[in-house]
Amino acid sequence: MNDRYGTDVLSGDWRAPKRGRAVEHPADLGLVVEEVTTDWCGEIVTVDRDLDVLTLEDRRGKRRTFPLGPGFLLEGKPVILTAPVRAAAAPARPARTASGSIAVHDAKARVARESRIFVEGRHDAELVEKVWGDDLRIEGVVVEFLGGVDDLADHLVDFRPGPGRRVGVLVDHLVRGSKESRIADSIARSAVGGHVLIVGHPFVDIWQAVKPDRIGLRAWPTIPRSVEWKHGVCQHLGWPHRNQADIARAWQQILGRVSSFADLEPALLGRVEELIDFVTDPAG
């Protein structure tokens, strides 16, 4: 009995390459290859350069992710798949900013206002910068990274909010009864409460503010509490998640799928717009 490559299956491992040494080949979209370890054969539908992985789709429409590199057959010959080279194109000047506002080309950034926006979490701050950065520079609003909501009271003591010196704060997972909500309520009742607006999104992590279909999911997976959420998501997606460097690369991959406000959930959009209105209100 012969396999599809003409090798007797009883003579040894039929999946082992028998036709010379592997050569490098670009993992071009549409290429049909076989991953020899799992015998998964399919068409290359995505290639993630940052994560060094590709996704194959078989004839039934099922998908599976594999690392780029050796271990593939192309037309029965062993290959080492590498990320395809893509030519850089000159970007067109957009008519609107990523937040949906009308773009003002060649405008100089406004002198920074005294008012500020604090954003809890580095990934949160990067997402706000990517979508609202152009608008914030035109408005002269500086966004500052807040390591954790526990540090907020100390930041406010140093900043000294007051008339014309407002502070907007974006907090992770601000839900009723949480530690975050108790801190927010305490600050709202304090002497500076009238000059500080604290809002939050309902997501476990800011990653969930990105619409799941932007990364090929119908919905963000439910991760057991015993598993660190970001590691669990990466595992679900078949992405490396051994250390913090892997998590950072995963976030850059997700952030790379965001090009405008249309890629984000309304629950985050409304909160950020609310903060911008608060710190730019002339009455403040």
Side-chain angles (χ1 to χ4, degrees):
M1 177 178 178
N2 293 338
D3 70 352
R4 63 183 122 177
Y5 301 120
T7 303
D8 190 339
V9 297
L10 300 180
S11 65
D13 184 359
W14 65 269
R15 290 170 296 191
K18 302 284 195 306
R19 301 193 179 186
R21 300 180 62 184
V23 296
E24 289 192 352
H25 195 287
D28 296 318
L29 298 183
L31 202 67
V32 177
V33 298
E34 179 183 355
E35 204 280 332
V36 298
T37 303
T38 60
D39 192 27
W40 185 282
C41 184
E43 176 185 345
I44 300 175
V45 291
T46 64
V47 177
D48 294 331
R49 290 170 173 80
D50 292 335
L51 298 173
D52 287 329
V53 297
L54 59 81
T55 300
L56 300 182
E57 180 177 283
D58 68 11
R59 66 177 184 272
R60 299 180 182 86
K62 294 183 179 181
R63 295 189 175 190
R64 188 161 177 176
T65 300
F66 300 96
L68 286 167
F72 296 92
L73 294 178
L74 173 61
E75 297 180 354
K77 298 179 180 179
V79 291
I80 300 171
L81 293 180
T82 60
V85 177
R86 58 184 177 189
R93 303 185 80 182
R96 292 186 176 272
T97 66
S99 70
S101 302
I102 296 175
V104 182
H105 297 298
D106 303 321
K108 294 183 179 179
R110 177 174 174 167
V111 175
R113 298 173 183 265
E114 291 190 62
S115 298
R116 294 285 187 273
I117 292 178
F118 295 161
V119 177
E120 182 190 17
R122 192 170 303 281
H123 293 176
D124 307 55
E126 291 176 353
L127 186 61
V128 169
E129 163 61 27
K130 182 163 188 178
V131 176
W132 287 274
D134 290 339
D135 297 354
L136 293 169
R137 280 182 282 278
I138 292 295
E139 294 290 348
V141 177
V142 174
V143 174
E144 296 186 6
F145 165 63
L146 179 67
V149 70
D150 292 334
D151 303 327
L152 178 57
D154 291 337
H155 275 67
L156 294 177
V157 169
D158 294 337
F159 187 80
R160 300 188 303 277
R165 192 175 172 81
R166 289 181 158 192
V167 175
V169 186
L170 181 65
V171 177
D172 271 341
H173 202 217
L174 186 63
V175 295
R176 180 173 299 179
S178 65
K179 174 190 67 176
E180 289 81 2
S181 67
R182 291 193 293 271
I183 292 174
D185 291 342
S186 175
I187 291 173
R189 294 192 301 267
S190 71
V192 299
H195 310 295
V196 179
L197 175 64
I198 303 174
V199 301
H201 56 73
F203 309 114
V204 175
D205 190 275
I206 196 65
W207 291 16
Q208 283 186 305
V210 178
K211 292 180 178 178
D213 62 356
R214 298 315 193 256
I215 57 172
L217 295 174
R218 291 186 178 180
W220 285 95
T222 300
I223 306 300
R225 291 192 176 187
S226 58
V227 178
E228 202 282 325
W229 192 84
K230 292 175 182 175
H231 286 257
V233 169
C234 289
Q235 185 176 19
H236 179 86
L237 290 167
W239 294 355
H241 54 282
R242 296 180 301 275
N243 50 44
Q244 195 56 38
D246 286 339
I247 300 301
R249 283 191 291 270
W251 166 241
Q252 290 306 312
Q253 179 66 16
I254 295 170
L255 187 62
R257 306 293 177 89
V258 176
S259 59
S260 76
F261 72 97
D263 299 314
L264 303 180
E265 298 288 358
L268 176 68
L269 297 176
R271 303 293 75 74
V272 176
E273 296 290 347
E274 189 177 353
L275 292 178
I276 295 174
D277 290 344
F278 179 76
V279 298
T280 60
D281 184 357

